[in-house]
């Protein structure tokens, strides 16, 4: 199959994209435009007849086996060709050609490659089947004959056939939930066979739905509903058809997607020497030497990381000869900004970020060299030091000195990373190796060295920072470093201390069962690492169940012990961060009033994005499929929206969604401020602010100044005014009072070293 590619292929409904292409052509970029359009057409086509791809026969053989399975299966073949949209138990899509069904399935799988290769966010059966169901709806025009979940059931049948015929995809039954008879959702995963037969030579990159662009992305406007790519549109606000309507956000998005990247060749060359998983330093063969594999990592997780590693390296190799490329960006419905690409992005895993660098170098200068040294210390995981038995922040001077003290080792890693493998022990080894190469360049060329990496100034538990700032909570603000302190403060450490104190307090009046649990946890380490997950997620409405999973993940403790400790952790927040809990309780109470009135929550973020939260109650529907004998019978439970709002889901969502909208506004403010100061290279990840080392001083200043500006208005009252606008006077009587604010002086944030560092 061939796809025609020309300028007139850009849809008429996208005049702004057409004008953007015309400007690129006028600037002498016609060849790059055609190349980019070809890439987009190739991603849409999903297959290729490139003779240089040695494994295309295996690809076609697998897809042919899939199509044959569909043509011979009673569930999918067309029994009566003249009857359309009959539906039915055995022939749910009798109006659609088998070839079209097969293509839709392949498209849906290719569109989810990045998700299936991410071990940290498993792809649920409902998500993949839902994506395929959407394609099937388009093929039939959304015919009502298929009824509730008819398309989803058809999608599951097609996926069952695909798994059986190709062996490239597998569905895993969800694990049993902690202390429950129910299970987590089933998930789909790429298999080792897929990597061997399809992706082994990098072919999977051709199937990625969204790849980096070779020309600047289409700029966003306040009224655009889709943009980014030249031809293949992406939504401005994910999951909606709404425009952004905020000049603040549009300006930030355009600055982010104008950043030119390229592949870091030196890091990629080292990563390609790993014969198995480049994401696991102790599970690989390097330069012919075996590195012992970890024994506590599940095989499923190792395989997932191996697949992600292979896809990442293949995607980088495909771009290695490009002088520069770009990541188109868009945002989620709360305002958080993300690259829109499928497999690689500046927000990817450590290997992915290590293999990227800015296409345009910036002279390091004396101040930039200092920030590079600090960056090395941070990436190595040496940003903390033990003083009087407690871990505290290293000062900026101590971090710089750490790099100077370890300079010989750093230079040895850069000189021969395959032999000198000490960099494997770094907290973020691939980014650390990239920084080692930069350090070597600086040592050789001095201040004139042109750096292509970004220093990253990370927020100190961003969610708590936002709530503490808007409620002027001095206690919580101090714990997340909004208040200056010589070595900062440690929210996670404070929580660990509070938990230890609570457990000690239980000893005096513990019954036999409690004493047994206390003895169990006395043999475990109650430290900041254990409390980090619960401390970070509490502000996002996580509770005892989530904390139990986090505890079990860290300690391997049995369900009962994990849940018991989780309940103790949950109780600690009242002692450590009562102001934060009061603010969250207020948001939830307002949500309850709105739900009782049958109204969704609607507000605008500080950056001007309209947000609507309307989480409806859901019901479970059982879907059964069978593609061969009784042994192939499968049953899945799908969650389906009903008409009424869910009080519990609205309560659970309001705090995290409000806070995400605020921290997203902070990032937009910072990006725009830095762009106005001349910064042109950005590497942003929500609450991590990245720019060239020489400009990190500006980032340091901007994060604090923009936070003070963001928090100066009364954000909680402004949110309340927006949300309750539709209530009657009688309904307003049930509203709670806005919680009393604390005494935090926002101006001191400007002087805090560790707020974003």
């Amino acid at each position: 199959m061939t796809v025609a590619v020309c300028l007139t292929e850009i849809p008429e409904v996208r005049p702004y994209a057409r004008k953007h292409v015309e400007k690129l052509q006028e600037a002498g970029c016609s060849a790059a435009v055609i190349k980019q359009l070809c890439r987009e057409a190739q991603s849409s086509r999903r297959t290729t007849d490139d003779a240089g791809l040695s494994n295309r026969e295996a690809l076609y053989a697998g897809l042919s086996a899939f199509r044959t399975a569909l043509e011979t299966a009673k569930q999918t073949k067309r029994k009566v060709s003249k009857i359309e949209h009959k539906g039915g138990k055995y022939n749910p899509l009798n109006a659609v050609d088998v070839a079209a069904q097969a293509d839709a399935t392949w498209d849906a799988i290719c569109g989810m490659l990045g998700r299936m290769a991410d071990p940290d966010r498993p792809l649920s059966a409902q998500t993949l089947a839902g994506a395929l169901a959407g394609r099937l709806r388009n093929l039939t025009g959304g015919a009502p004959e298929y009824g509730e979940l008819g398309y989803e059931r058809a999608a599951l049948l097609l996926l069952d056939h695909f798994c059986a015929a190709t062996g490239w995809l597998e569905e895993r039954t969800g694990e049993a939930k902690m202390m429950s008879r129910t299970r987590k959702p089933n998930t789909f995963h790429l298999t080792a066979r897929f990597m061997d037969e399809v992706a082994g030579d990098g072919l999977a990159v051709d199937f990625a739905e969204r790849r980096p662009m070779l020309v600047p992305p289409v700029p966003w406007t306040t009224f655009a509903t889709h943009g980014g790519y030249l031809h293949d549109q992406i939504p401005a606000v994910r999951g909606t058809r709404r425009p952004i309507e905020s000049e603040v956000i549009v300006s930030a998005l355009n600055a982010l997607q104008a950043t030119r990247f390229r592949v870091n060749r030196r890091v990629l060359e080292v990563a390609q020497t790993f014969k198995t998983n480049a994401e696991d330093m102790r599970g690989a063969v390097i330069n012919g030497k075996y590195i012992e594999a970890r024994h506590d990592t599940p095989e499923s997780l190792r395989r997932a990381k191996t697949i992600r590693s292979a896809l990442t390296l293949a995607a980088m190799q495909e771009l290695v000869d490009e002088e520069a490329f770009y990541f188109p960006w868009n945002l989620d419905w709360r305002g958080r900004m993300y690259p829109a690409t499928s497999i690689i992005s500046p927000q990817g895993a450590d290997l992915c970020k290590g293999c990227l660098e800015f296409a345009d170098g910036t002279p390091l200068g004396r101040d930039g060299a200092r920030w590079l040294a600090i960056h090395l210390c941070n990436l190595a995981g040496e940003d903390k030091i033990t003083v009087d038995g407690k871990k505290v922040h290293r000062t900026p001077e101590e971090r710089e000195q750490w790099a100077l003290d370890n300079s010989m080792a750093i230079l040895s890693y850069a000189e021969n990373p395959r032999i000198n493998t000490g960099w494997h022990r770094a907290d973020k080894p691939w980014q650390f190796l990239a920084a080692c190469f930069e350090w070597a360049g600086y040592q050789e060329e001095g201040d004139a060295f042109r750096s292509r990496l970004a220093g990253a100034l990370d927020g100190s538990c961003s969610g708590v920072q936002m709530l503490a700032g808007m409620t002027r909570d001095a206690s919580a603000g101090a714990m997340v470093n909004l208040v200056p302190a010589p070595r900062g403060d440690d929210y996670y450490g404070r929580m660990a201390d509070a938990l230890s104190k609570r457990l000690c307090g239980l000893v005096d009046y513990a019954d036999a069962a409690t004493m047994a649990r206390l003895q169990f946890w006395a043999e475990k380490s109650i430290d900041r690492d254990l409390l980090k997950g619960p401390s970070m997620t509490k502000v996002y409405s996580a509770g005892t169940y989530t904390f139990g999973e986090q505890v079990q993940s860290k300690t391997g403790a049995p369900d009962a012990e994990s849940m018991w400790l989780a309940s103790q952790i949950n109780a600690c927040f009242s002692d450590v961060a009562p102001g934060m809990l009061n603010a969250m309780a207020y948001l939830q109470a307002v949500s309850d009033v709105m739900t009782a009135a049958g109204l969704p929550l609607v507000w605008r973020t500080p950056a001007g994005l309209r947000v609507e939260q309307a989480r409806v109650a859901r019901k479970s529907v059982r879907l059964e499929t069978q593609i061969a004998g009784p042994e192939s019978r499968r049953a899945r439970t799908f969650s389906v929206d009903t008409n009424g709002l869910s009080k519990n889901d609205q309560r659970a969502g309001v705090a995290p969604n409000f806070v995400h909208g605020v921290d997203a506004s902070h990032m937009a403010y910072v990006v725009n401020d830095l762009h106005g100061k001349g910064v042109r290279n950005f590497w942003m990840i929500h609450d991590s602010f990245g720019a060239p080392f020489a400009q990190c001083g500006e980032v340091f200043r901007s994060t604090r100044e923009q936070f003070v500006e963001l928090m100066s208005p009364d954000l909680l009252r402004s949110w309340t005014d927006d949300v309750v606008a539709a209530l009657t006077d009688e309904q307003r009587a049930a509203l709670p009072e806005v919680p009393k604010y604390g005494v935090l002086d926002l101006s001191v944030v400007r002087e805090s070293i560790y707020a974003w560092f």
Side-chain angles (χ1 to χ4, degrees):
M1 179 175 66
T2 59
V3 176
V5 177
C6 64
L7 179 58
T8 56
E9 285 284 311
I10 298 177
E12 294 286 347
V13 296
R14 300 192 64 205
Y16 202 56
R18 297 171 69 85
K19 290 179 181 178
H20 178 62
V21 168
E22 290 169 3
K23 290 180 181 179
L24 291 174
Q25 291 176 322
E26 291 171 2
C29 301
S30 295
V33 166
I34 295 299
K35 190 174 180 181
Q36 173 60 31
L37 286 169
C38 288
R39 285 167 62 83
E40 294 183 31
Q42 187 179 40
S43 293
S44 298
R45 188 172 61 219
R46 310 293 190 206
T47 57
T48 179
D49 54 5
D50 186 344
L53 295 170
S54 60
N55 53 355
R56 72 187 190 284
E57 292 84 2
L59 168 66
Y60 290 143
L63 294 179
S64 177
F66 173 45
R67 185 175 295 186
T68 299
L70 297 186
E71 289 171 345
T72 57
K74 64 181 180 180
Q75 298 95 338
T76 52
K77 67 182 180 181
R78 297 178 67 181
K79 291 184 177 181
V80 184
S81 60
K82 294 182 180 180
I83 298 178
E84 295 188 355
H85 304 318
K86 186 176 181 181
K89 180 177 180 181
Y90 294 109
N91 193 13
L93 288 176
N94 59 335
V96 180
D97 289 335
V98 160
Q101 295 183 49
D103 288 347
T105 306
W106 183 235
D107 279 356
I109 291 169
C110 290
M112 293 288 181
L113 273 183
R115 286 289 304 276
M116 282 187 278
D118 187 348
D120 302 321
R121 293 189 308 151
L123 180 68
S124 72
Q126 179 157 352
T127 299
L128 179 55
L132 175 52
R135 286 170 164 81
L136 299 179
R137 279 190 186 87
N138 291 337
L139 290 174
T140 63
E145 286 84 352
Y146 298 107
E148 182 181 58
L149 294 182
Y151 289 102
E152 284 74 12
R153 181 179 176 278
L156 288 171
L157 279 169
L158 292 171
L159 291 169
D160 285 347
H161 280 295
F162 185 88
C163 292
T166 66
W168 296 342
L169 200 64
E170 66 178 6
E171 182 179 1
R172 295 180 192 159
T173 302
E175 297 176 354
K177 290 186 177 180
M178 182 177 291
M179 306 291 285
S180 170
R181 294 181 181 180
T182 61
R183 290 185 172 274
K184 297 179 182 179
N186 287 10
T187 53
F188 276 101
H189 303 262
L190 299 173
T191 65
R193 182 173 175 180
F194 175 84
M195 297 306 300
D196 292 339
E197 295 184 356
V198 178
D201 293 332
L203 184 57
V205 178
D206 294 331
F207 309 142
E209 187 170 38
R210 296 173 183 164
R211 290 188 282 174
M213 297 180 64
L214 304 183
V215 296
V218 178
W220 292 104
T221 65
T222 55
F223 53 82
T225 58
H226 47 70
Y229 289 97
L230 304 184
H231 186 282
D232 292 343
Q233 64 185 28
I234 56 174
V237 183
R238 297 181 179 190
T240 76
R241 296 182 179 179
R242 293 191 287 106
I244 298 170
E245 299 180 334
S246 163
E247 188 60 48
V248 171
I249 295 174
V250 163
S251 298
L253 279 177
N254 288 335
L256 292 171
Q257 67 179 19
T259 300
R260 288 159 42 94
F261 284 88
R262 73 178 191 181
V263 173
N264 188 324
R265 286 173 171 267
R266 292 173 296 182
V267 174
L268 178 62
E269 287 171 0
V270 177
Q272 287 172 330
T273 66
F274 280 61
K275 304 303 181 185
T276 54
N277 177 10
E279 293 196 35
D280 189 347
M281 296 295 118
R282 290 161 289 184
V285 180
I286 305 176
N287 208 33
K289 296 183 178 180
Y290 282 94
I291 306 298
E292 184 178 0
R294 291 180 59 174
H295 299 294
D296 59 344
T297 304
E299 174 58 32
S300 58
L301 180 58
R302 277 201 298 269
R303 188 185 354 164
K305 288 191 173 183
T306 298
I307 291 173
R308 182 171 67 180
S309 169
L311 289 177
T312 298
L313 297 183
M316 294 294 177
Q317 184 60 43
E318 189 251 347
L319 291 164
V320 73
D321 293 326
E322 299 296 337
E323 178 182 333
F325 49 84
Y326 304 80
F327 292 97
W329 286 63
N330 60 0
L331 59 149
D332 70 15
W333 62 281
R334 292 93 47 94
R336 280 200 153 190
M337 293 175 274
Y338 300 84
T341 44
S342 298
I343 294 179
I344 61 172
S345 91
Q347 295 183 350
D350 177 55
L351 174 64
C352 181
K353 287 186 277 195
C355 287
L356 289 172
E357 63 182 12
F358 294 133
D360 303 313
T362 304
L364 196 60
R366 190 165 299 175
D367 194 52
R370 172 176 168 268
W371 282 105
L372 171 57
I374 292 170
H375 188 61
L376 278 161
C377 180
N378 293 344
L379 292 173
E382 296 290 343
D383 54 313
K384 300 285 193 304
I385 189 172
T386 301
V387 176
D388 297 330
K390 297 187 68 173
K391 277 196 170 183
V392 295
H393 292 280
R394 286 186 193 264
T395 66
E397 295 75 21
E398 287 172 344
R399 298 187 201 200
E400 182 180 5
Q401 189 60 47
W402 181 92
L404 294 172
D405 292 344
N406 289 274
S407 183
M408 293 301 294
I410 292 169
L411 293 174
S412 75
Y413 304 149
E415 181 181 11
N416 199 334
R418 301 175 193 178
I419 299 298
N420 302 318
T421 57
W423 57 275
H424 293 186
R425 295 189 294 272
D427 190 41
K428 297 175 181 176
W430 290 108
Q431 294 174 76
F432 180 72
L433 178 61
C436 290
F437 287 131
E438 293 271 301
W439 186 257
Y442 166 62
Q443 296 300 315
E444 184 176 340
E445 300 180 30
D447 293 348
F449 171 70
R450 299 186 69 85
S451 170
R452 298 179 186 272
L453 296 186
L457 279 70
D458 296 346
S460 181
C461 200
S462 171
V464 179
Q465 285 181 317
M466 298 301 145
L467 277 179
M470 71 179 71
T471 60
R472 311 297 192 269
D473 187 333
S475 174
M479 287 189 296
V480 291
N481 294 303
L482 297 181
V483 178
R487 289 192 178 274
D489 207 329
D490 184 6
Y491 174 41
Y492 312 138
R494 287 276 195 106
M495 281 295 298
D497 291 344
L499 179 59
S500 296
K501 183 178 179 181
R502 172 172 285 272
L503 296 183
C504 289
L506 293 177
V507 172
D508 292 338
Y509 55 89
D511 56 22
T514 302
M515 186 61 71
R517 290 202 161 101
L518 288 170
Q519 289 173 341
F520 176 88
W521 287 109
E523 298 176 3
K524 304 286 184 181
S525 180
I526 304 295
D527 57 14
R528 69 181 308 277
D529 186 52
L530 177 64
L531 273 296
K532 184 174 182 179
S535 302
M536 289 178 64
T537 55
K538 178 63 177 180
V539 71
Y540 302 127
S541 297
T544 302
Y545 173 76
T546 301
F547 300 160
E549 288 190 318
Q550 292 168 336
V551 167
Q552 189 172 69
S553 175
K554 286 288 185 183
T555 66
D559 286 4
E561 279 69 23
S562 296
M563 287 296 291
W564 181 83
L565 190 69
S567 67
Q568 302 302 320
I569 292 172
N570 204 23
C572 287
F573 286 100
S574 309
D575 306 325
V576 174
M580 178 182 76
L581 295 187
N582 290 340
M584 293 175 63
Y586 171 77
L587 294 168
Q588 292 165 351
V590 173
S591 173
D592 289 347
V593 173
M594 298 302 295
T595 302
L599 296 171
L601 301 169
V602 181
W603 71 92
R604 285 195 180 271
T605 69
L609 181 72
R610 182 181 182 274
V611 173
E612 179 175 346
Q613 179 185 303
R615 293 184 171 182
V616 297
R618 299 173 72 83
K619 65 178 181 179
S620 295
V621 178
R622 182 181 173 89
L623 296 179
E624 294 186 356
T625 61
Q626 182 176 327
I627 62 172
E631 71 281 355
S632 69
R633 184 176 298 149
R634 302 293 300 272
R636 290 91 156 183
T637 299
F638 267 47
S639 185
V640 182
D641 290 347
T642 62
N643 294 325
L645 290 171
S646 167
K647 178 180 178 179
N648 289 340
D649 289 346
Q650 286 289 86
R651 281 178 61 87
V654 61
N657 292 329
F658 173 51
V659 170
H660 280 319
V662 175
D663 71 31
S665 298
H666 184 225
M667 184 169 122
Y669 285 176
V670 171
V671 169
N672 290 336
D673 181 56
L674 292 173
H675 192 269
K677 299 293 194 297
V679 178
R680 292 297 179 267
N681 290 333
F682 296 94
W683 202 318
M684 300 290 186
I685 310 173
H686 308 316
D687 63 342
S688 177
F689 300 84
F693 294 114
Q695 295 166 321
C696 279
E698 280 294 335
V699 179
F700 184 93
R701 179 201 60 79
S702 182
T703 49
R704 290 148 178 82
E705 287 289 347
Q706 296 307 311
F707 181 81
V708 172
E709 181 173 334
L710 173 69
M711 293 297 166
S712 293
D714 193 333
L715 296 185
L716 210 52
R717 290 187 185 276
S718 177
W719 174 86
T720 304
D721 291 343
D722 282 351
V723 166
V724 306
L727 291 179
T728 65
D729 290 342
E730 183 179 355
Q731 291 167 331
R732 287 170 184 261
L735 289 170
E737 292 187 8
V738 176
K740 293 182 179 179
Y741 292 175
V743 295
L744 174 65
D745 179 3
L746 289 176
S747 66
V748 304
V749 176
R750 297 186 178 95
E751 310 304 321
S752 174
I753 293 173
Y754 303 101
W756 291 271
F757 198 75

